[in-house]
Amino acid sequence: MLFDTHCHINTEDFAEDYEAVLERAQEIGVKKLAVVGFDKETIARALWFAEKYDWIYAIIGWHPVDTIDCTPEDLEMIRKTAAANPKVVAIGEIGLDYHWDKSPKVEQQALFRQQIEMALALDKPIVIHDRDAHQDVYDILAEYKDEPNLRGIMHSYSSSPEMAERFIKLGFYISLSGVVTFKKARVPHEVAVSVPLDRLLIETDSPYLTPVPYRGKRNEPGYVHYVAEEIAKLRGISYEEVVQATYENACRLFVI
């Protein structure tokens, strides 16, 4: 009962063989999949997958790196689509990315707030992209801490266990990707152990962040079981317990 809560099979990386990729995922036990659209093209493709496959859901939003390309019409398209389509289970991935300098920080922060407020109005969870911006992401989310329906996912979480605890208190789940399988990934290992099991999710972020033993190759949704296996090993619990908990957590958050 695996649930890959974040993947990008809607990109060109899977254009030639997505059907085979999805078949392999189902064979390994992936029962549900969330495909993330982050600009006009990938949003349209995510919606296509969600319509074509009953076990696939869409998450749509505007990526912070591309903030300067986002128009008011794009935001309205996201709002209307999320409001009308029950297969859209969250707004994302949204947030801040200070690693790349394509979009100024101030503009990223403004778009981040706009999309948070959109999700709150629609009563949808949000999926957070946070790269080199942990404190600013937390501070902006904390502005909405009194909103009763603030909730979501810290996608491919990369900060500390202490910061994870703060995000959880705001209503967020912590999602771990293939990085947790890396031998020298000390902090993700600590997070995998410290986060309460009822606040943990798993993902691939495929085609990126490929887990061991396929590190360096294209990632795909079926590899999410390696993430679950590593978490089970680190926590000293069964693989089945991790799979069941993360599946139930995702279904609860996405209201599936």
Side-chain angles (χ1 to χ4, degrees):
M1 297 289 287
L2 291 159
F3 197 142
D4 181 0
T5 60
H6 195 115
C7 73
H8 298 288
I9 58 167
N10 50 336
T11 62
E12 287 299 316
D13 301 81
F14 296 102
E16 301 298 324
D17 66 341
Y18 71 84
E19 290 178 326
V21 168
L22 293 177
E23 286 177 9
R24 287 195 292 271
Q26 289 189 298
E27 288 170 2
I28 206 69
V30 177
K31 298 298 182 185
K32 295 189 187 301
L33 194 66
V35 181
V36 182
F38 50 85
D39 58 21
K40 276 190 287 193
E41 291 76 16
T42 57
I43 287 171
R45 190 70 171 156
L47 295 169
W48 181 86
F49 274 104
E51 182 178 354
K52 183 175 175 66
Y53 298 94
D54 60 3
W55 58 286
I56 294 180
Y57 298 83
I59 296 171
I60 62 173
W62 205 270
H63 199 286
V65 168
D66 297 319
T67 292
I68 60 172
D69 299 323
C70 186
T71 67
E73 291 75 22
D74 293 324
L75 282 181
E76 182 62 9
M77 175 271 292
I78 292 168
R79 187 195 67 77
K80 284 185 175 180
T81 303
N85 190 333
K87 292 295 291 289
V88 175
V89 294
I91 301 299
E93 57 190 282
I94 66 175
L96 303 175
D97 190 316
Y98 294 170
H99 179 77
W100 305 106
D101 60 1
K102 177 180 176 180
S103 297
K105 292 179 181 179
V106 172
E107 294 186 27
Q108 288 190 42
Q109 292 166 9
L111 183 62
F112 188 20
R113 289 185 176 93
Q114 286 178 286
Q115 294 187 92
I116 292 171
E117 291 164 13
M118 177 197 300
L120 290 171
L122 295 170
D123 195 21
K124 298 276 188 183
I126 53 179
V127 176
I128 304 298
H129 174 101
D130 169 14
R131 189 168 187 185
D132 298 343
H134 308 315
Q135 190 61 52
D136 282 358
V137 166
Y138 175 82
D139 289 343
I140 290 174
L141 290 174
E143 293 173 11
Y144 303 90
K145 67 182 186 302
D146 294 328
E147 297 287 344
N149 59 343
L150 178 67
R151 65 202 188 279
I153 302 173
M154 301 307 300
H155 143 65
S156 189
Y157 185 76
S158 61
S159 189
S160 67
E162 293 77 19
M163 187 63 84
E165 185 176 353
R166 297 175 71 191
F167 284 120
I168 290 169
K169 287 180 179 177
L170 288 177
F172 285 80
Y173 289 76
I174 304 300
S175 183
L176 295 176
S177 65
V179 176
V180 77
T181 69
F182 300 172
K183 185 176 180 180
K184 296 182 180 180
R186 178 184 59 82
V187 175
H189 293 169
E190 293 174 356
V191 171
V193 173
S194 65
V195 169
L197 196 56
D198 66 355
R199 282 286 163 173
L200 200 58
L201 297 171
I202 55 176
E203 64 171 270
T204 58
D205 198 22
S206 50
Y208 319 110
L209 305 179
T210 311
V212 174
Y214 294 105
R215 188 177 182 183
K217 299 179 181 179
R218 184 190 69 174
N219 199 2
E220 59 182 68
Y223 295 167
V224 73
H225 75 94
Y226 291 110
V227 179
E229 288 170 359
E230 186 64 24
I231 292 171
K233 177 182 174 183
L234 291 165
R235 294 181 76 103
I237 61 177
S238 71
Y239 169 75
E240 291 76 15
E241 189 173 355
V242 172
V243 170
Q244 180 176 351
T246 53
Y247 183 89
E248 291 176 354
N249 292 344
C251 289
R252 182 169 61 252
L253 176 65
F254 294 143
V255 194
I256 295 173

